[in-house]
Amino acid sequence: AAAMSGMPFVASELKLNIGIVAAVDAALCTIIDILDEDIDGEYTLAGADRGEAEMPALLALVIEAMKTHPSAPEVQGRGASCVSLLVPYVPPVSLNAMAPGAIAAVLNGSRRYPRRMDVMGGSAAALRAFCELCRRMPPGPLGKAIVESLRHEGAVDCVEQVFCVFSHYEDSTEMLEDAAAVHAQLSGVQALLTRLETEPATSLLRVAGLKALFEEGRLDPEFFSAHAAASAMEACERMVREANEYNETGKDAADPPIDTTRLHEVASLLSGLCRGRLHCMC
């Protein structure tokens, strides 16, 4: 029924059953299915009526659900994922009032469940969605207000928690990339590069962080200053060298080697992008 009726039906059911954890969880799952075009298979609902005119009201309901059920980690995780998917559809005039509450709800959930992968993954995705929104906006008070809310509510602390807990989980690469992108947007390219170099050569955060820098720089020509571009190229070279040295001489015989294929690929992409930026600045 939800697939046929689209988002208005889901919003109605969520509002009607806002106090029931199981019903809220089911509604949030359906919202994710409708909005997330990356989902493959027979359950994809990307063709359903998205009801974009009702997105502000739906975002408000998701925030209310997260506040109503702070002790339900599944609601916190899926709620944050919904926020990440809804934000691009909400008109700026509505976000002006709603962004602080949404950011606070997401970060409250992450503080309550700092070791839940679903909660922290949803939180990182939501924070990145807000950062991406600010990047796309023309300069003005709304973008500044969102960035101020992210910093005030502790977004950098949240992504640092992701780094500390999940940097060696094989299935955490998307979350690590989202967190690294937020870190770079809020603290700067140089700060992220410095953070990546504190990680051991085996850390998956290194690859995810370089990938995040590439994606952010690819979308925003002004993302890298000349100094940041040069520093990123040096960091890529150093991380590849350290991974190779670890495989050749640094690891214990019982430890698995680093799979350097992906690191080489991402480092080459980022280095090429930065080289092009430096060429354009000359």
Side-chain angles (χ1 to χ4, degrees):
M4 295 298 294
S5 302
M7 204 65 81
F9 176 86
V10 180
S12 175
E13 290 297 300
L14 179 56
K15 184 175 182 179
L16 184 65
N17 298 286
I18 197 76
I20 304 172
V21 170
V24 168
D25 187 44
L28 296 178
C29 286
T30 305
I31 292 169
I32 292 170
D33 285 348
I34 291 173
L35 292 177
D36 190 349
E37 295 179 343
D38 290 331
I39 292 179
D40 297 320
E42 61 180 312
Y43 297 106
T44 300
L45 304 179
D49 170 23
R50 290 174 177 240
E52 293 181 22
E54 300 188 13
M55 291 303 189
L58 185 57
L59 178 59
L61 281 171
V62 170
I63 296 169
E64 182 182 350
M66 295 176 73
K67 291 179 177 178
T68 302
H69 302 288
S71 298
E74 64 273 28
V75 171
Q76 299 303 310
R78 293 195 176 98
S81 295
C82 287
V83 171
S84 75
L85 295 168
L86 286 166
V87 162
Y89 293 100
V90 177
V93 65
S94 298
L95 271 180
N96 189 39
M98 301 179 70
I103 291 168
V106 166
L107 288 169
N108 284 339
S110 73
R111 281 188 286 267
R112 193 176 183 97
Y113 302 103
R115 294 182 177 274
R116 287 271 308 215
M117 183 174 286
D118 56 343
V119 175
M120 298 306 288
S123 298
L127 298 177
R128 187 176 190 178
F130 278 110
C131 287
E132 292 295 305
L133 183 70
C134 293
R135 181 181 55 76
R136 293 196 304 268
M137 283 180 175
L142 176 55
K144 290 180 180 179
I146 291 175
V147 170
E148 184 177 326
S149 290
L150 289 166
R151 289 180 172 144
H152 176 74
E153 293 292 342
V156 174
D157 292 339
C158 174
V159 299
E160 179 60 33
Q161 180 71 14
V162 171
F163 295 164
C164 291
V165 176
F166 299 104
S167 62
H168 288 83
Y169 284 62
E170 290 289 343
D171 54 350
S172 67
T173 52
E174 183 176 353
M175 170 171 47
L176 290 171
E177 182 184 328
D178 287 340
V182 173
H183 193 289
Q185 288 281 359
L186 296 180
S187 301
V189 172
Q190 195 64 53
L192 178 60
L193 290 172
T194 299
R195 180 63 181 82
L196 296 181
E197 294 193 32
T198 67
E199 289 289 305
T202 54
S203 173
L204 298 176
L205 177 56
R206 286 190 161 194
V207 175
L210 296 182
K211 175 66 161 42
L213 288 173
F214 169 74
E215 293 296 343
E216 296 300 308
R218 182 176 63 85
L219 294 171
D220 181 4
E222 305 299 321
F223 186 69
F224 286 100
S225 65
H227 176 69
S231 295
M233 292 172 64
E234 293 172 3
C236 287
E237 182 180 353
R238 188 159 48 248
M239 289 182 201
V240 169
R241 183 176 67 249
E242 289 173 0
N244 290 334
E245 289 172 353
Y246 173 86
N247 282 347
E248 292 169 4
T249 60
K251 72 181 188 67
D252 294 334
D255 293 335
I258 298 172
D259 182 0
T260 57
T261 302
R262 182 59 175 162
L263 177 60
H264 278 275
E265 179 183 291
V266 174
S268 295
L269 287 170
L270 179 56
S271 294
L273 177 70
C274 290
R275 193 175 297 111
R277 293 287 186 263
L278 289 172
H279 179 75
C280 292
M281 292 173 189
C282 294

